[in-house]
Amino acid sequence: MGVRQYWRKKFFLDKFDEWREYGGHYPWRWGFSEIKDKKYGRIRTARQFVQTFRAIVDFAVAEKRKNPDFQLPDEFLGLVVKVDRLIGEVLLARNAAEQA
């Protein structure tokens, strides 16, 4: 490794050391909220949707068991109705394709 490359890397890494030890200016142009948005971003696949929906339903069932007076939000019930219709349409299309 040449001298020039060594110093370039050293100055770059020193930014992070200074930030971590002394709470200085964060060396990147974006902050932690953008990192979280990338990690927990939009749902892009059907599998992600099903896993997320399943987790929400499991949470609602657990809350209802713990607290019988727990009221589900109207938005959630509307979502369940839409998902039920969607699954029904998918199953009908699948059955029609298998019979053809």
Side-chain angles (χ1 to χ4, degrees):
M1 176 165 61
V3 173
R4 188 173 177 178
Q5 188 176 7
Y6 168 80
W7 285 107
R8 186 180 301 154
K9 286 183 180 180
K10 182 179 180 348
F11 289 139
F12 180 74
L13 294 174
D14 282 348
K15 290 180 186 179
F16 291 94
D17 292 339
E18 178 182 321
W19 168 73
R20 184 172 181 151
E21 290 180 26
Y22 306 113
H25 176 69
Y26 188 66
W28 294 108
R29 67 175 187 266
W30 38 262
F32 290 109
S33 60
E34 287 83 3
I35 295 171
K36 290 178 186 175
D37 288 343
K38 286 182 180 181
K39 185 174 182 181
Y40 304 108
R42 296 176 183 232
I43 296 174
R44 292 184 177 88
T45 64
R47 174 174 283 186
Q48 287 176 333
F49 172 76
V50 170
Q51 289 174 342
T52 304
F53 186 71
R54 171 98 190 242
I56 293 169
V57 170
D58 290 345
F59 171 77
V61 169
E63 283 296 313
K64 191 67 174 173
R65 286 185 182 150
K66 282 195 287 187
N67 181 9
D69 296 330
F70 175 72
Q71 294 292 323
L72 294 170
D74 293 334
E75 295 88 6
F76 177 73
L77 296 175
L79 178 66
V80 170
V81 169
K82 289 178 184 177
V83 169
D84 183 48
R85 288 183 194 155
L86 177 67
I87 291 173
E89 290 177 17
V90 168
L91 291 176
L92 284 175
R94 184 174 145 204
N95 288 340
E98 287 178 355
Q99 291 177 358

